[in-house]
């Protein structure tokens, strides 16, 4: 069976059409953007899904990942402002926002971001003291993020986060910091203890002051009462009242007898002869008291003098 030229051309045309369709249809997966170049020049960007290009004229350039990506920052040594050497590593998160800029504005996007982050870590942390470096990690992260994001924005990317993972000072520096912290804690403990002793002494002194004040007030009132009694007796004597003088002498005499009788060392008490007459005349003392101080006060005073003047029990008398 002989084939004519038309029979040969038809299958060839079908194959060419299929090849053109295969070359012109491009499927972009989710999370990626493809750039299209026509004769080496960027023309447009293919979004996720089914896309058509001109075969043999257009071609796919860069395939950019549009998802957020993480980049490990390797450990590097940083010299702080107070000349302390620390080892620092970190992590950076970024996302491509414009595929064309990320593909054509910088060569080696990940390497560029990595070097940019590392240099800014040395710049930011090198301008701080060691104590400030260890205590202000959030401030360091915020400052790094702002600086790196501003520098990388022309590349069509967005720095979402820059974090410092570890800050490792030398072993001898860590030991010195531990001793310094211990000394500071001991200092605070001694200060608190001294403050406690001070407050205790202040409270004790205030207590002694209050007790002395109340004791002095009590003595003052007792002295005022004694002075008032002495004044009453003095006024009665000045008025020529002999009964007041007798009452005053009898009172002192009775108090002396009460003191002698209350002694725990005396078994036999030798009393003067006048004591018997004094004891027998206590009724007279009561009448004197009524004349000087009135009926009510005299009764209580006489009863007190009788109880205090009762003679103690003595041994058998020896004549």
């Amino acid at each position: 069976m002989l084939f004519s030229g038309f029979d040969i051309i038809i299958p060839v045309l079908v194959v060419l059409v299929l090849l053109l369709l295969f070359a012109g249809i491009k499927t972009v997966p989710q999370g990626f953007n493809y750039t299209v170049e026509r004769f080496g020049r960027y023309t447009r960007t293919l979004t996720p899904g089914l896309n058509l290009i001109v075969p043999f004229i257009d071609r796919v350039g860069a395939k950019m990942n549009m998802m957020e990506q993480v980049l490990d920052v390797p450990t590097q040594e940083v010299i702080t402002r107070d000349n302390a050497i620390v080892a620092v590593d970190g992590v950076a998160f970024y996302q491509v926002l414009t595929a064309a800029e990320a593909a054509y504005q910088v060569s080696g996007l990940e390497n560029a971001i990595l070097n940019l982050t590392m240099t800014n870590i040395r710049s930011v942390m090198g301008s701080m003291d060691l104590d400030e470096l260890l205590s202000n990690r959030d401030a360091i992260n915020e400052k790094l993020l702002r600086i790196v994001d501003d520098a990388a924005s022309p590349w069509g990317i967005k720095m979402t986060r820059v974090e410092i993972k570890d800050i490792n000072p030398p072993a001898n520096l860590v030991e010195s910091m531990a001793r310094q912290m211990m000394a500071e804690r001991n200092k605070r403990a001694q200060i608190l203890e001294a403050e406690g002793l001070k407050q205790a002494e202040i409270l004790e002194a205030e207590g002694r002051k209050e007790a002395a004040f109340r004791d002095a007030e009590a003595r003052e009132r007792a002295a005022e009462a004694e002075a008032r009694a002495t004044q009453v007796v003095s006024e009665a004597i000045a008025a020529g009242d002999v009964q007041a003088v007798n009452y005053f002498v009898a009172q002192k005499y009775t108090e002396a007898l009460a003191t002698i009788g209350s002694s725990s060392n005396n078994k036999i008490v030798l009393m003067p002869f006048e004591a018997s007459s004094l004891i027998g005349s206590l009724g007279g003392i009561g009448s004197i008291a009524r004349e000087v101080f009135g009926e009510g006060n005299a009764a209580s005073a006489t009863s007190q003098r009788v109880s205090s003047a009762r003679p103690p029990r003595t041994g058998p008398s020896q004549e």
Side-chain angles (χ1 to χ4, degrees):
M1 182 178 181
L2 298 175
F3 292 97
S4 62
F6 183 77
D7 294 333
I8 297 173
I9 292 174
I10 293 299
V12 172
L13 291 176
V14 172
V15 171
L16 290 177
V17 170
L18 292 176
L19 290 176
L20 289 174
L21 290 175
F22 181 76
I25 296 175
K26 298 297 180 183
T27 302
V28 180
Q30 185 66 38
F32 285 83
N33 280 354
Y34 292 173
T35 61
V36 178
E37 299 175 355
R38 178 169 295 176
F39 301 115
R41 182 180 180 181
Y42 167 77
T43 56
R44 61 194 178 95
T45 300
L46 302 181
T47 59
L50 188 64
N51 297 272
L52 295 176
I53 62 174
V54 179
F56 307 111
I57 296 176
D58 296 340
R59 71 180 185 88
V60 174
K63 299 179 180 181
M64 303 303 301
N65 188 346
M66 306 301 291
M67 296 178 288
E68 187 174 2
Q69 303 177 66
V70 59
L71 186 63
D72 286 329
V73 180
T75 303
Q76 60 178 333
E77 290 186 348
V78 177
I79 302 176
T80 62
R81 186 169 57 186
D82 52 352
N83 298 323
I85 301 176
V86 295
V88 181
D89 62 353
V91 61
F93 295 83
Y94 70 94
Q95 184 177 14
V96 177
L97 299 181
T98 307
E101 292 180 353
Y104 303 111
Q105 292 295 330
V106 62
S107 177
L109 179 62
E110 288 190 358
N111 186 51
I113 296 174
L114 179 62
N115 284 278
L116 180 63
T117 304
M118 293 178 65
T119 54
N120 281 281
I121 286 176
R122 288 194 295 268
S123 300
V124 172
M125 301 181 71
S127 63
M128 304 171 68
D129 294 332
L130 179 61
D131 294 338
E132 187 180 2
L133 196 70
L134 296 174
S135 60
N136 294 329
R137 186 172 297 191
D138 292 339
I140 296 173
N141 294 336
E142 182 182 356
K143 189 173 183 180
L144 279 174
L145 177 61
R146 185 177 65 254
I147 295 175
V148 176
D149 184 56
D150 290 342
S153 58
W155 302 340
I157 65 173
K158 172 66 177 176
M159 300 299 300
T160 58
R161 189 178 304 172
V162 178
E163 298 283 346
I164 299 298
K165 292 196 295 184
D166 293 320
I167 301 176
N168 299 318
N172 57 350
L173 187 57
V174 173
E175 184 179 357
S176 299
M177 292 172 62
R179 291 198 302 268
Q180 179 182 1
M181 182 182 65
M182 183 61 67
E184 185 67 24
R185 291 182 180 274
N186 291 335
K187 176 183 176 182
R188 290 201 297 265
Q190 292 176 359
I191 291 175
L192 291 176
E193 184 178 359
E195 287 290 337
L197 292 176
K198 176 182 177 182
Q199 291 296 329
E201 292 179 356
I202 291 175
L203 292 175
E204 184 179 357
E206 289 180 353
R208 291 196 303 268
K209 176 182 176 182
E210 182 68 18
F213 175 77
R214 293 182 180 275
D215 189 22
E217 185 177 4
R219 290 197 304 269
E220 180 181 359
R221 291 182 179 179
E224 290 178 355
E226 185 69 21
R228 177 61 181 168
T230 305
Q231 181 182 2
V232 171
V233 175
S234 300
E235 291 176 354
I237 295 173
D241 191 350
V242 180
Q243 298 294 333
V245 177
N246 294 333
Y247 174 77
F248 186 75
V249 172
Q251 178 186 4
K252 297 300 182 181
Y253 197 78
T254 304
E255 291 176 356
L257 288 179
T259 303
I260 294 173
S262 63
S263 176
S264 60
N265 296 327
N266 295 328
K267 302 300 182 181
I268 299 175
V269 179
L270 300 178
M271 299 179 62
F273 179 76
E274 292 81 359
S276 60
S277 61
L278 175 64
I279 295 172
S281 60
L282 289 177
I285 294 176
S287 62
I288 295 173
R290 283 193 296 271
E291 293 179 2
V292 177
F293 297 102
E295 293 292 336
N297 295 332
S300 60
T302 303
S303 62
Q304 293 177 0
R305 297 297 174 260
V306 170
S307 62
S308 62
R310 182 177 295 124
R313 298 181 61 184
T314 61
S317 61
Q318 299 177 1
E319 295 181 357

